[in-house]
């Protein structure tokens, strides 16, 4: 940077957190050609501005490095985002059902209303899911598919007809179609123990055409940008086939329209043919092919189906079959020979131990040092297995799944067991490579501030304290878990994750100070300005005019047009969570008893308040909204 080469952007007059210990709190930051070109004193940086330099006064707001999610199903999520009604962040079931009813009225045949994960019943003040009767009352004619974590899906009658489930439909392996006394499907699908039936049923729904998927992915990225996310590692996912389902993100990358940097892993899709998948992919692709916006990051999170211990803490831990070890060894040996890193989904310590037996065996012939391989999730990993991981040069990618499922874990295993589930503080103490993410969009929300809230407070979204204070992280350490520490997991150390001269210019300016707000409010933080590669990709409030326009969500009935993505839990009246003001805004009809005052009906100690099914007898239609 010089007088003849002024920076493209200067940001100043804010509270800047660089995560660079040698320069932790500078006064100003300059960006040139997509990288940080100066980080220091305002008196030195501001005079370097040229006539085309965008100088941004932060007005005292907190600036941090852009957040990086270590495990996000962003490619699959983008293809479907515009079709999905997000209950992420909604704090009352009443509001959620009002959204569902309104969306059912907006959705034309043969489309569905889809609530596909990202929430837990414990986040609702009612502490429960809707009943099938309530869903059918809210949407009698439009198919509704509601996925709750990986444990169940609720389908209304119209959806059962659309997917063709009848009295004669058999239960698939690993799943259950719940039936009434006459043997007819009720609409409740249960994962027993895996989510295959849930995925398979969702896959029967209509898909968006290619141009709409482009638009959908752009809207998903913009909502991530709104939350301060600038990068993600895509962990593949069920029903995400390579290369077909990557065409949309490849098109956006080629056109320079990615606003999230994506490092992607390849996820096998064919049980008993996993080695063939990876043999073909390692022959036709090169590890790290691509650029700083879109690049191949290796294999996984599914390597072989026989090693997949899906987390559903409502049921007993699944025992992996005896064929796990030979099948896993064949794939890992192939990957190690081709110097491809991998990530392996592993919820339970028992699965991790057996996998490590395989990795240690391969390591005797093909050293794994330098491969940056990882376990994903690792909720119940032991210190002994952490030591084995460290010796083999591996890492652990943790996510905030316990913020959504902690109550179920405690119910099955007890509060004491939940104290180190996963043992994040212990991993850091032992020097194990570890970082954090979300595992969104189905088993948890894509909001990284929920992950930071969980890491710092040790609480679930339902408010249950599951991690004692000595196992929680301070705010600086937690922030590093979603920034600089993620870069080891994509082999990009020193390239991004801090605000430091020479690193990629990815940053977020926050609507409130992460380091000062009460712990419970961390989950509510959003960005007012997000920059990726020196380009503004999101702006709100005083920075709104800096953001590039985004075309409206397609199709015109998209839930994103009406509700957006992640829901602000303070959006109710006067910013108070737990109220029903949003419902009143969504309501299009009056109840014969209470008019539009549905909140009064639900709060009252009357049959309408105590028994949601009683409204029909009284002529009170509050719950129908």
């Amino acid at each position: 940077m010089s007088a003849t080469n002024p920076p493209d952007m200067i940001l100043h007059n804010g509270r800047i957190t660089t995560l660079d210990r040698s320069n932790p709190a500078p006064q100003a930051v300059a960006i040139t050609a997509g990288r940080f070109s100066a980080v220091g004193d305002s008196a030195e940086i501001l005079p370097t501005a040229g006539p085309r330099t965008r100088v941004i006064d932060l007005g005292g707001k907190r600036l941090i490095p852009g957040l990086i999610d270590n495990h996000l199903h962003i490619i699959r999520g983008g293809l479907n985002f515009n079709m999905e009604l997000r209950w992420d962040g909604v704090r009352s079931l009443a509001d959620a059902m009002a959204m569902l009813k309104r969306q059912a009225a907006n959705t034309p045949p043969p489309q569905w209303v889809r609530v596909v994960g990202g929430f837990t019943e414990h986040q609702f003040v009612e502490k429960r899911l809707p009943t099938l009767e309530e869903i059918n009352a809210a949407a009698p004619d439009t198919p509704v598919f509601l996925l709750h974590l990986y444990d169940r899906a609720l389908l209304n009658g119209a959806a059962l007809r659309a997917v063709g489930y009848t009295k004669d439909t058999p239960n698939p392996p690993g799943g259950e179609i719940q039936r009434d006394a006459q043997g007819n499907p009720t609409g409740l699908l249960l994962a027993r123990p895996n989510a295959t039936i849930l995925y398979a049923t969702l896959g029967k729904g209509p898909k968006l055409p290619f141009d709409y998927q482009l638009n959908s992915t752009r809207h998903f990225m913009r909502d991530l940008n709104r939350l301060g996310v600038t990068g993600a590692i895509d962990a593949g996912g069920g029903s995400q086939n390579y290369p077909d389902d990557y065409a949309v993100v490849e098109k956006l990358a080629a056109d320079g329209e990615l606003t999230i940097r994506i490092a992607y892993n390849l996820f096998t899709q064919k049980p008993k043919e996993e080695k063939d998948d990876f043999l073909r992919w390692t022959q036709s692709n090169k590890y790290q092919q691509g650029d700083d916006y879109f690049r191949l990051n290796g294999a996984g999170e599914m390597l072989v189906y026989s090693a997949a211990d899906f987390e559903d803490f409502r049921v007993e831990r699944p025992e992996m079959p005896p064929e796990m070890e030979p099948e896993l060894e064949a794939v890992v040996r192939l990957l190690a020979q081709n110097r491809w890193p991998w990530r392996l989904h592993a919820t339970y310590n028992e699965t991790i131990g057996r996998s490590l037996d395989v990795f240690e065996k391969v390591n005797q012939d093909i050293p794994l040092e330098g491969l940056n391989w990882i376990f994903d999730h690792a909720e119940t990993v032991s210190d002994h297995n952490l030591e084995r991981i460290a010796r083999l040069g591996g890492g652990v990618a943790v996510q905030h799944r316990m913020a959504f499922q902690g109550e179920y874990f405690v119910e099955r295993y007890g509060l004491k067991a939940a104290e180190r589930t996963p043992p994040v503080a212990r991993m850091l103490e032992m020097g194990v490579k570890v970082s954090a993410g979300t595992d969104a969009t189905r088993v948890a929300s894509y909001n990284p501030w929920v992950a930071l809230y969980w890491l710092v407070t040790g609480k679930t979204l339902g408010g249950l304290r599951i991690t004692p204070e000595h196992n929680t992280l301070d705010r600086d350490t937690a922030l590093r878990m979603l920034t600089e520490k993620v870069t080891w997991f994509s082999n990009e150390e020193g390239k991004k994750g801090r605000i430091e001269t020479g690193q990629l210019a990815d940053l977020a300016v926050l609507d409130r100070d992460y380091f000062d707000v009460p712990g419970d409010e961390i989950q509510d933080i959003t960005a007012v300005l997000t920059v990726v590669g020196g380009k503004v990709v999101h702006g709100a409030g005083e920075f709104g005019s800096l953001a590039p326009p985004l075309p409206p969500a397609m199709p015109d009935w998209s839930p994103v047009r009406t509700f957006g993505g992640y829901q602000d839990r303070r959006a109710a009246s006067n910013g108070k969570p737990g109220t029903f003001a949003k419902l009143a805004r969504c309501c299009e009809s009056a109840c014969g008893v209470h008019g539009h005052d549905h909140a009064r009906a639900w709060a009252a100690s009357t049959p309408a308040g105590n028994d949601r099914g009683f409204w029909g007898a009284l002529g009170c239609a509050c719950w129908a909204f």
Side-chain angles (χ1 to χ4, degrees), residues 283-609:
Q283 289 177 341
S284 60
N285 297 276
K286 184 180 179 182
Y287 168 57
Q288 290 190 316
Q289 67 186 30
D291 57 25
D292 291 332
Y293 276 91
F294 187 61
R295 53 194 291 277
L296 177 60
N297 194 52
E301 66 179 295
M302 183 75 80
L303 296 181
V304 293
Y305 279 82
S306 54
D309 62 350
F310 290 101
E311 75 301 331
D312 180 355
F313 299 131
R314 284 182 160 180
V315 300
E316 293 182 359
R317 176 183 63 83
E319 188 68 41
M320 299 299 97
E323 61 267 25
M324 169 187 153
E325 281 83 353
E327 292 180 355
L328 183 59
E329 181 184 345
V331 169
V332 168
R333 192 171 291 277
L334 172 66
L335 295 172
Q337 288 170 343
N338 286 276
R339 308 307 293 170
W340 271 42
W342 65 83
R343 59 192 312 152
L344 179 64
H345 169 111
T347 301
Y348 297 100
N349 186 60
E350 291 80 358
T351 309
I352 292 170
R354 290 175 60 181
S355 300
L356 284 168
D357 291 342
V358 172
F359 298 171
E360 289 168 347
K361 181 179 179 182
V362 172
N363 182 64
Q364 292 175 358
D365 302 323
I366 310 169
L368 304 184
E369 183 178 356
L371 272 186
N372 291 27
W373 62 268
I374 65 173
F375 281 113
D376 272 308
H377 318 312
E379 272 82 3
T380 66
V381 65
S382 67
D383 281 6
H384 173 64
N385 279 335
L386 287 174
E387 292 170 355
R388 297 171 71 191
I389 292 168
R391 282 199 300 270
L392 283 176
V396 180
V398 301
Q399 294 81 37
H400 63 175
R401 305 191 312 178
M402 285 291 285
F404 293 79
Q405 301 189 64
E407 286 84 354
Y408 302 136
F409 188 93
V410 169
E411 182 179 351
R412 177 165 291 276
Y413 299 107
L415 190 58
K416 184 66 178 177
E419 289 186 356
R420 46 167 286 153
T421 304
V424 179
R426 181 60 177 150
M427 294 177 196
L428 289 167
E429 181 183 320
M430 294 175 67
V432 176
K433 297 291 186 181
V434 58
S435 64
T438 66
D439 197 9
T441 58
R442 295 179 178 176
V443 73
S445 172
Y446 55 85
N447 187 348
W449 296 103
V450 174
L452 286 161
Y453 154 81
W454 165 71
L455 288 168
V456 169
T457 69
K459 294 180 181 179
T460 69
L461 277 176
L464 176 65
R465 178 68 177 264
I466 56 175
T467 309
E469 186 173 354
H470 64 270
N471 284 344
T472 59
L473 306 185
D474 65 78
R475 299 192 190 198
D476 179 87
T477 301
L479 183 59
R480 292 177 189 274
M481 290 278 288
L482 279 144
T483 51
E484 65 173 9
K485 287 185 179 295
V486 183
T487 61
W488 181 89
F489 293 73
S490 58
N491 254 313
E492 295 176 288
E493 289 180 290
K495 182 177 286 188
K496 61 183 183 181
R498 294 193 297 270
I499 296 174
E500 184 177 311
T501 301
Q503 290 211 9
L504 295 169
D506 304 342
L507 61 87
V509 180
L510 308 180
D511 69 339
R512 71 203 72 191
D513 195 336
Y514 162 69
F515 290 99
D516 285 345
V517 298
D520 185 62
E521 293 184 19
I522 292 174
Q523 61 188 298
D524 301 321
I525 293 174
T526 61
V528 292
L529 179 69
T530 305
V531 173
V532 178
K535 298 178 181 178
V536 174
V537 296
H538 161 74
E542 62 198 277
F543 305 106
S545 62
L546 303 180
L550 189 65
M554 299 164 60
D556 56 8
W557 54 264
S558 169
V560 175
R561 285 205 181 195
T562 305
F563 303 105
Y566 189 89
Q567 300 292 304
D568 186 345
R569 68 172 178 149
R570 304 155 300 157
S573 65
N574 300 320
K576 296 178 181 178
T579 68
F580 302 108
K582 186 185 296 183
L583 179 62
R585 294 199 300 273
C586 295
C587 176
E588 297 168 348
S589 303
C591 157
V593 176
H594 302 99
H596 286 277
D597 193 5
H598 308 301
R600 177 171 61 87
W602 289 323
S605 57
T606 63

Side-chain angles (χ1 to χ4, degrees), residues 197-212:
I197 185 175
L198 313 181
Y199 278 165
T201 305
L202 180 60
K204 294 176 182 290
K207 291 180 173 56
L208 291 174
F210 187 83
D211 288 348
Y212 286 31

